[in-house]
């Protein structure tokens, strides 16, 4: 099957198999920042943006991507680097496997939440799991990054 869509600002014609999910398609096209963990919509590792909002690419059918705007972390290097510095400052950098999906969610959250609180941040991030930690260092970094008083 084929369709035209936009990835990181570039129009592209995608070839894909019927029933293929977006995570697999993106990786096949070289967007290797997109990780797959659970493949069941439970861990958030595969998060990308669809028309500016975070989605789980392991459960999003590629066939639904006609004329949409897909964004991966490859297009958000500057913002991702800025957030990474907050993680480092709190000693929260670990194996990094969850980082691309987690960062895509954090960057979307920063755009969306106008008056963030610890509670609203926790709620927003509930779908992004990290197998390395208890989230304490990450939360310290996120709270500072989001400018929560
Ligand atoms: S790999 Fe998509 S949510 Fe886990
Ligand atoms: S930093 Fe290792 S899985 Fe999150």
């Amino acid at each position: 099957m084929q369709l035209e869509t936009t990835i990181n600002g570039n129009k592209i014609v995608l070839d894909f198999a019927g029933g293929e999910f977006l995570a697999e398609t993106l990786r096949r096209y070289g967007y290797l920042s997109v990780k797959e963990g659970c493949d069941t919509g439970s861990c958030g590792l595969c998060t990308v943006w669809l028309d500016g909002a975070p989605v789980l690419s392991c459960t999003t059918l590629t066939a639904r991507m006609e004329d949409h705007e897909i964004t991966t972390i490859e297009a958000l290097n500057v913002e991702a680097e800025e957030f990474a510095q907050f993680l480092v400052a709190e000693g929260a950098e670990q194996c990094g496997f969850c980082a691309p999906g987690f960062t895509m969610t954090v960057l979307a959250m920063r755009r969306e939440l106008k008056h963030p609180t610890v509670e609203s941040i926790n709620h927003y991030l509930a779908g992004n799991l990290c197998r390395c930690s208890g989230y304490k260092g990450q939360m310290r970094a996120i709270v500072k990054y989001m400018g929560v008083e």
Side-chain angles (χ1 to χ4, degrees):
M1 302 174 73
Q2 270 195 346
L3 58 74
E4 184 172 296
T5 193
T6 301
I7 303 176
N8 296 342
N10 301 311
K11 279 205 179 298
I12 184 170
V13 175
L14 294 178
D15 283 301
F16 61 99
E20 187 171 305
F21 288 103
L22 184 58
E24 184 183 344
T25 310
L26 288 171
R27 287 187 59 82
R28 193 158 43 74
Y29 275 82
Y31 299 96
L32 299 180
S33 70
V34 181
K35 306 291 187 222
E36 292 176 272
C38 66
D39 257 347
T40 60
S42 303
C43 74
L45 253 69
C46 63
T47 304
V48 300
W49 292 356
L50 177 59
D51 301 326
V55 295
L56 301 174
S57 60
C58 75
T59 55
T60 301
L61 283 169
T62 302
R64 299 180 63 188
M65 295 301 103
E66 180 97 48
D67 295 329
H68 282 286
E69 178 91 33
I70 300 156
T71 308
T72 72
I73 203 166
E74 282 92 346
L76 297 166
N77 278 339
V78 174
E79 285 175 75
E81 172 63 30
E82 182 196 357
F83 174 55
Q85 286 170 9
F86 280 80
L87 289 173
V88 170
E90 294 300 329
E93 77 281 23
Q94 298 165 112
C95 86
F97 188 54
C98 67
F102 176 66
T103 300
M104 290 303 285
T105 305
V106 169
L107 299 186
M109 177 171 68
R110 194 181 198 189
R111 283 165 161 76
E112 189 177 324
L113 297 186
K114 301 301 175 213
H115 305 289
T117 62
V118 171
E119 290 73 27
S120 62
I121 290 170
N122 272 324
H123 182 72
Y124 204 104
L125 290 174
N128 284 84
L129 305 182
C130 172
R131 64 187 175 180
C132 285
S133 77
Y135 303 100
K136 297 278 189 201
Q138 288 159 317
M139 274 306 288
R140 284 196 307 272
I142 292 166
V143 161
K144 288 184 179 168
Y145 177 70
M146 295 289 288
V148 178
E149 296 300 320

